[in-house]
Amino acid sequence: MPSERPGGTGGIGGTGHNGDDGGSGNNGDRGEPGGLRTALAGLTTRGRSFFAAGIAAAVCAYVLGQGDLLRVGLLLAVLPLVCSGVLYRTRYRVAGSRRLTPARVPAGAEARVHLRMENVSRLPTGLLMLQDRVPYVLGPRPRFVLDRVEASGRREVSYRVRSDLRGRYPLGPLQLRLTDPFGMCELTRSFSTYDTLTVVPRVEALPAVRLTGEAKGYGDGRHRSLALAGEDDVIPRGYRYGDDLRRVHWRSTARYGELMVRREEQPQRARCTVLLDSRAVAYQGAGPDSAFEWAVSGTASTLVHMLERGFSVRLLTDTGNSLPGEGADGYAGTGQESADAAGLMMDTLAVIDHSDGAGLSRAYDVLRGGNEGLLVAFLGDLDEEQATVVAKMRQRSGAAVAFLTDSHAWLRGAGAPPSPAAANGLRLLREAGWTAVAVPPGVSLVELWRQADHLRTGTVAAPAASAGPMAGGTGGWT
């Protein structure tokens, strides 16, 4: 039965077996050298107290010449020794496995850890206490008591973990502790391996707006590479459900014996680069409600949103590092590839931390110029020099949207007025053609995403949260 209080555990085992069900296997230890020393080291407080009381009674009996007291003292001293000896020579063969569902969770969500213990020996076990080591940020160490596992029997227990802080957290190693019926001795063994729980940034579902003049990664606003024209130069492909029958290429159909359609156009996938400013000098404060964590969460939300809309997406940081590597067009957003790409970038954002850089020039150099497609930037505090560098990035992209956090306003809380430096940076970006939006404390990305679309179309003014020197201005996604 589970208990949420922390404590040590362990197990006596011969050989362990690898876990299954997708969990990592843990191998039990065969025992530790040292014989009697190891057994005596496992004496509990009760066992040590009995042993000390027995020695004291025996000494008093010898001094006083009391034979009955001597027998009592010997019994008290021998009992914990016998218990430790019997317990040490017990050989249980126990296999353990761990399974995470899921292994990747957003910050603030719960994951369940399933532990399975199996007795692979021919003898039933005694009382086993089971504990899994978890970092303190995930909660208290779970502790379970297993009351006698029959031969070839198995027991399954589970517990939940939760973290408001993103990161990668090790779970394990699993420990077992075996105790005798009198509680005189406890011996501990640890399994060898562990699993890793990845806590990724929170992702918000963003509304669909027409980015760069189109609603999807393919569309009327896209450039298309035309195949060779002409009846003899058409590149055919197999018919797919939903293809227009007017595109059937009868000559190729007769040649290959199956329905073939023309493939005159090959649309190029729209590209999107998401820039995350991770400079330590650009953010103040820490914790799940800090400006930097908001920027990381916004980056994750944008990456997932763009992949779902069919864009080829690339993650870029102020250090010049990009995912995929520099020079790549990005991850395609189709089917399983989209899920794999999102998972890889989420894993990267789960462990991203502040950089030591002072500028954004490296990120500017990575942008090749003019053909980068949509650029979405999540920026921290910008001085005039860095605001100028960011403003020039507009020339190296097809469209540019920026979300500027003001760390000073975030430290003061909701309703705080923007700092002069933040207002100046917003003005410089808008003058350069950016669709720049100020990020007040506590505002969700969904609201700001709609605001950016309104600024692009010019349908409404900026909301009151960014009134004053931060409000107004135009710019576009296109």
Side-chain angles (χ1 to χ4, degrees), residues 3 7 20 35 55-56 80 126 132 219 221 229-230 234 293 338 349 398 431 440 454 457 466:
S3 172
D20 50 9
I55 295 298
D132 207 12
V234 171
E293 292 301 322
S338 175
L349 291 176
E431 290 177 353
H454 294 158
T457 59
S466 55

Side-chain angles (χ1 to χ4, degrees), residues 23-36:
S24 69
N26 298 297
N27 295 327
D29 298 332
R30 286 184 174 274
E32 299 177 358
L36 182 60

Side-chain angles (χ1 to χ4, degrees), residues 60-419:
C60 293
Y62 177 77
V63 173
L64 300 177
Q66 297 291 328
D68 294 338
L69 182 58
L70 178 61
R71 286 189 290 270
V72 172
L74 292 177
L75 176 62
L76 293 178
V78 170
L79 180 60
L81 298 179
V82 172
C83 291
S84 61
V86 172
L87 189 62
Y88 178 75
R89 293 189 60 84
T90 300
R91 286 294 179 265
Y92 296 140
R93 300 180 62 203
V94 179
S97 66
R98 182 189 300 104
R99 177 166 53 91
L100 303 179
T101 53
R104 182 191 293 119
V105 296
E110 290 184 345
R112 182 166 289 276
V113 184
H114 301 268
L115 302 176
R116 188 176 72 172
M117 302 302 301
E118 183 177 0
N119 181 16
V120 296
S121 66
R122 298 180 179 179
L123 298 175
T125 69
L127 187 67
L128 297 177
M129 282 176 283
L130 175 67
Q131 176 179 281
D132 207 12
R133 290 185 178 180
V134 298
Y136 73 94
V137 72
L138 298 181
R141 292 184 177 181
R143 187 176 182 181
F144 306 92
V145 177
L146 304 180
D147 185 12
R148 190 181 182 276
V149 181
E150 65 278 4
S152 301
R154 63 183 61 180
R155 298 289 187 273
E156 293 188 6
V157 293
S158 65
Y159 63 94
R160 294 177 296 180
V161 290
R162 178 182 179 274
S163 174
D164 291 326
L165 300 175
R166 56 186 176 80
R168 293 173 62 86
Y169 302 103
L171 298 177
L174 189 64
Q175 291 183 323
L176 286 175
R177 183 172 63 198
L178 183 67
T179 183
D180 66 280
F182 299 102
M184 299 290 179
C185 184
E186 292 178 349
L187 293 183
T188 301
R189 294 292 183 269
S190 295
F191 292 83
S192 59
T193 58
Y194 60 90
D195 284 291
T196 301
L197 175 69
T198 302
V199 181
V200 300
R202 294 183 180 92
V203 174
E204 297 185 61
L206 301 180
V209 297
R210 296 188 62 84
L211 311 176
T212 64
E214 61 186 30
K216 295 288 185 181
Y218 300 105
D220 298 336
R222 299 291 308 127
H223 297 289
R224 295 175 180 266
S225 58
L226 299 179
L228 297 176
E231 183 70 16
D232 297 328
D233 296 328
V234 171
I235 303 175
R237 63 167 174 82
Y239 175 82
R240 299 172 186 169
Y241 179 78
D243 285 339
D244 191 346
L245 292 178
R246 291 174 297 181
R247 296 176 55 195
V248 173
H249 191 249
W250 298 108
R251 180 178 299 179
S252 298
T253 299
R255 178 184 303 173
Y256 294 105
E258 61 176 323
L259 203 59
M260 306 292 289
V261 297
R262 295 181 177 89
R263 188 169 55 182
E264 295 95 344
E265 300 181 330
Q266 303 217 355
Q268 297 177 354
R269 189 177 300 278
R271 290 190 296 270
C272 175
T273 299
V274 183
L275 171 63
L276 173 61
D277 179 10
S278 62
R279 297 172 298 141
V281 297
Y283 300 94
Q284 299 182 28
D289 297 326
S290 63
F292 179 66
E293 292 301 322
W294 187 96
V296 173
S297 177
T299 300
S301 302
T302 304
L303 289 171
V304 172
H305 179 71
M306 292 302 179
L307 283 171
E308 291 175 348
R309 293 169 63 81
F311 282 72
S312 291
V313 181
R314 176 176 62 171
L315 171 62
L316 178 65
T317 65
D318 59 287
T319 62
N321 297 326
S322 62
L323 191 69
E326 185 174 345
D329 289 335
Y331 289 109
T334 56
Q336 185 61 36
E337 294 179 358
S338 175
D340 295 342
L344 183 57
M345 287 189 282
M346 291 300 103
D347 289 345
T348 301
L349 291 176
V351 296
I352 197 169
D353 202 354
H354 290 294
S355 69
D356 297 329
L360 294 159
S361 57
R362 292 183 180 178
Y364 172 76
D365 294 337
V366 172
L367 299 175
R368 292 171 294 185
N371 59 348
E372 291 297 317
L374 176 64
L375 173 62
V376 182
F378 291 86
L379 306 170
D381 297 335
L382 298 177
D383 55 25
E384 188 168 354
E385 178 183 357
Q386 297 309 314
T388 303
V389 173
V390 176
K392 292 191 296 183
M393 292 181 184
R394 177 64 180 85
Q395 304 170 2
R396 298 196 169 189
S397 64
V401 183
F403 298 94
L404 280 75
T405 58
D406 183 359
S407 296
H408 299 282
W410 277 71
L411 289 177
R412 291 192 294 269
S419 64

